[in-house]
Amino acid sequence: DEAIGSGLRDCSHIEEMLRLATAEPSAEFSGAIKRLLNIYHKSIKPMEQVFKYNELRQHEVTAGEITSKPMVLFLGPWSVGKSSMINYLLGLHGTPQELYTGAEPTTSEYTVIMHGERFRTIEGIVMAADSSRSFSPLEKFGQGFLERLVGIEMPHKLLERVTFVDTPGIIENRKQQERGYPYNDVCQWFIDRADLIFLVFDPTKLDVGGELEILFRQMKGRESQIRLILNKADSLSTQDLMRVYGALFWSMAPLVNVTEPPRVYVSSFWPQDYAPDTSRELFMKEEISLLEDLNQVVENQIENKIAFIRQHAIRVRIHALLVDRYLQTYYDKLGWFGDPYEVFQDVVNDPDKYYIFKSILAKSNVSKFDLPDKEAYQDFFGVNPISNFKQLSQHCSWTDGCLLEKIEKAISHELPALLSSVTKSSGAPAPAKACEEKPKNPWRKQ
């Protein structure tokens, strides 16, 4: 093979593993997406709008987002091989479309690589203005950010199934304001929407500092989507690599607050042949496992979207219940002669005194882990006066019923029923997010 003879690896297995030659999405898939859109617009969005949920979490769901392809997000320090990994998976090495890579921090932009009929680049301002895309909500992060957002379209079988997002490297000694846009808020937006998060490290410069710690806090609740990549693994001996693997887990332990640590892939994701006298068999097996993981996300995309919308609906419901509770407490305390401003400040600044959060836990089948921060409501009511809202009991009509009943029906019945019908028609087991068997530690392979 020419690739092997020229010091490059044979990459034909990528196409085989990702089944890129298979047919287009089925009619069942299109029908399920349509039903999901219908449930969202009928039962979830009205509650979202009435209680201004997007101003609490900066997370409104667009139709473009529901119909979009799965998103794979690449995060990590600078110069760890994020862009090289994308080049490798798409076979762009040595082509004019290749993403620029180098030893210095090279990616200062958020690059969205997606499918198109021909190769072209799209400015961030154009992407955000197009409401049919899933990126229109990014407009809220301002001009400074949109200048650093770029889209690349190209015809590619893998991009017909998935969208890649390359991000600026984490630079530990840089303050957020030096970036010129709200870096953490932008990262949160992409983290919330990613189906798979590849957190890439270079084993020769393992640096876990402040910016990375903040990122891990932002990934709370998304642990099942995180995959740690120990890239450039053939630049170390096996013994050193095992030491680095241990050091990585030691650094991550305080940051990843789950009993089951994220899956780690140890390999070298670029087209050059592995360095001599390194664990090439292990690296190849690891790469195959990662490709299987990526393929699973493509195969389970409709299940993952239903799970994402259901999770979103649960958060919207909790938010509505909390606003309702704040309102009820405010009116109870205001009475006939209370000072509205003083009562408002007292309730918002000290909700624990009135058991606002505890009463929601006691009465509404809500997990304490799903509750937002109390501080978030100080900011929320700072922008949205409490008197602007009506209580939940007033959001009912003879023709449409009650908003709370609708969203609860969607969470308890409609979305699980849609998930069940999709799972049956695909002949697949239960979806990956709901109950997946965790991959085993690569250093303990049989």
Side-chain angles (χ1 to χ4, degrees):
D1 192 303
E2 186 199 337
I4 295 168
S6 61
L8 300 177
R9 306 208 293 265
D10 175 16
C11 301
S12 59
H13 64 285
I14 295 177
E15 190 162 328
E16 288 165 27
M17 288 298 306
L18 297 175
R19 301 176 198 161
L20 299 186
T22 55
E24 296 291 299
S26 64
E28 284 96 344
F29 176 86
S30 309
I33 288 285
K34 206 175 274 186
R35 284 170 64 195
L36 182 58
L37 272 168
N38 185 41
I39 292 169
Y40 172 68
H41 284 294
K42 182 172 60 74
S43 304
I44 302 165
K45 195 177 177 83
M47 183 80 94
E48 208 178 298
Q49 291 174 324
V50 162
F51 287 95
K52 298 184 186 291
Y53 176 74
N54 66 312
E55 291 185 29
L56 177 81
R57 284 267 311 183
Q58 291 199 326
H59 193 157
E60 55 194 322
V61 176
T62 62
E65 201 175 336
I66 294 175
T67 56
S68 66
K69 298 177 178 75
M71 184 195 292
V72 179
L73 180 64
F74 291 78
L75 292 169
W78 60 271
S79 194
V80 293
K82 298 188 293 292
S83 303
S84 294
M85 192 169 169
I86 294 172
N87 284 334
Y88 178 60
L89 291 169
L90 294 174
L92 301 180
H93 180 79
T95 70
Q97 291 83 26
E98 182 178 12
L99 300 183
Y100 181 66
T101 60
E104 290 306 305
T106 51
T107 306
S108 61
E109 287 134 354
Y110 289 79
T111 309
V112 180
I113 303 106
M114 49 199 162
H115 183 262
E117 296 305 311
R118 59 188 174 84
F119 180 82
R120 65 174 185 139
T121 57
I122 308 166
E123 289 183 16
I125 197 161
V126 176
M127 286 172 68
D130 184 352
S131 60
S132 67
R133 294 182 188 276
S134 57
F135 301 102
S136 54
L138 287 168
E139 218 164 9
K140 65 172 167 264
F141 296 119
Q143 201 64 33
F145 166 69
L146 292 179
E147 286 169 6
R148 291 172 179 82
L149 175 68
V150 63
I152 297 177
E153 283 188 348
M154 64 178 83
H156 195 287
K157 280 286 185 190
L158 179 52
L159 295 176
E160 286 177 15
R161 296 167 159 238
V162 73
T163 295
F164 288 140
V165 179
D166 194 10
T167 59
I170 296 161
I171 299 176
E172 291 301 351
N173 56 3
R174 177 175 290 191
K175 292 185 174 67
Q176 176 157 295
Q177 52 268 35
E178 289 173 28
R179 290 188 182 267
Y181 62 92
Y183 174 74
N184 293 118
D185 290 346
V186 170
C187 282
Q188 185 71 64
W189 190 91
F190 282 105
I191 287 165
D192 282 345
R193 287 155 177 78
D195 294 80
L196 204 53
I197 301 166
F198 285 147
L199 193 48
V200 189
F201 293 96
D202 179 339
T204 62
K205 48 178 189 193
L206 212 54
D207 182 16
V208 179
E211 211 168 65
L212 191 59
E213 284 185 26
I214 291 168
L215 263 184
F216 264 100
R217 281 207 294 277
Q218 290 180 285
M219 287 192 262
K220 184 184 164 197
R222 306 284 295 163
E223 289 87 357
S224 64
Q225 278 76 48
I226 301 171
R227 305 291 184 270
L228 304 182
I229 312 279
L230 214 47
N231 198 15
K232 307 183 183 182
D234 61 343
S235 57
L236 293 177
S237 69
T238 304
Q239 192 176 7
D240 286 339
L241 194 56
M242 288 185 77
R243 285 195 186 115
V244 170
Y245 187 88
L248 178 67
F249 266 108
W250 183 256
S251 310
M252 294 293 150
L255 305 179
V256 186
N257 191 20
V258 285
T259 50
E260 187 78 37
R263 172 72 157 95
V264 181
Y265 291 108
V266 183
S267 192
S268 182
F269 294 96
W270 70 329
Q272 301 296 330
D273 204 2
Y274 299 118
D277 303 320
T278 54
S279 311
R280 62 168 52 236
E281 197 180 321
L282 169 72
F283 299 155
M284 196 64 212
K285 281 181 180 171
E286 288 288 279
E287 185 178 312
I288 296 290
S289 294
L290 179 135
L291 292 171
E292 285 171 352
D293 213 347
L294 183 55
N295 190 56
Q296 200 65 36
V297 164
V298 175
E299 297 285 318
N300 288 342
Q301 62 175 301
I302 185 66
E303 289 94 330
N304 290 347
K305 277 192 192 299
I306 295 167
F308 164 72
I309 292 297
R310 187 171 179 275
Q311 187 61 44
H312 176 74
I314 288 168
R315 287 180 179 147
V316 173
R317 173 181 174 266
I318 290 169
H319 169 65
L321 289 168
L322 279 166
V323 172
D324 184 64
R325 188 69 194 168
Y326 270 101
L327 259 175
Q328 198 177 330
T329 308
Y330 169 73
Y331 286 124
D332 287 352
K333 190 168 187 302
L334 186 62
W336 289 102
F337 305 109
D339 179 317
Y341 180 75
E342 278 182 22
V343 172
F344 168 71
Q345 290 297 319
D346 186 37
V347 171
V348 170
N349 291 332
D350 194 3
D352 286 346
K353 185 161 83 175
Y354 301 102
Y355 302 102
I356 286 175
F357 282 75
K358 280 186 178 167
S359 68
I360 294 296
L361 288 176
K363 290 182 183 173
S364 53
N365 191 25
V366 168
S367 161
K368 67 177 179 179
F369 301 107
D370 286 332
L371 286 179
D373 296 330
K374 299 178 185 77
E375 293 73 29
Y377 281 92
Q378 290 175 4
D379 296 339
F380 177 78
F381 286 121
V383 180
N384 303 287
I386 205 162
S387 53
N388 282 9
F389 296 98
K390 289 194 294 187
Q391 286 189 256
L392 273 169
S393 57
Q394 293 177 269
H395 289 290
C396 293
S397 73
W398 287 108
T399 50
D400 291 335
C402 298
L403 290 188
L404 185 61
E405 282 174 15
K406 279 185 174 180
I407 201 166
E408 288 181 341
K409 189 179 172 192
I411 293 166
S412 306
H413 303 294
E414 293 172 351
L415 290 168
L418 178 58
L419 185 58
S420 176
S421 70
V422 166
T423 308
K424 275 180 196 156
S425 68
S426 67
K433 274 190 189 171
C435 53
E436 68 182 353
E437 186 183 330
K438 298 287 188 291
K440 294 184 173 52
N441 184 323
W443 296 99
R444 292 191 198 146
K445 288 201 175 216
Q446 299 305 311

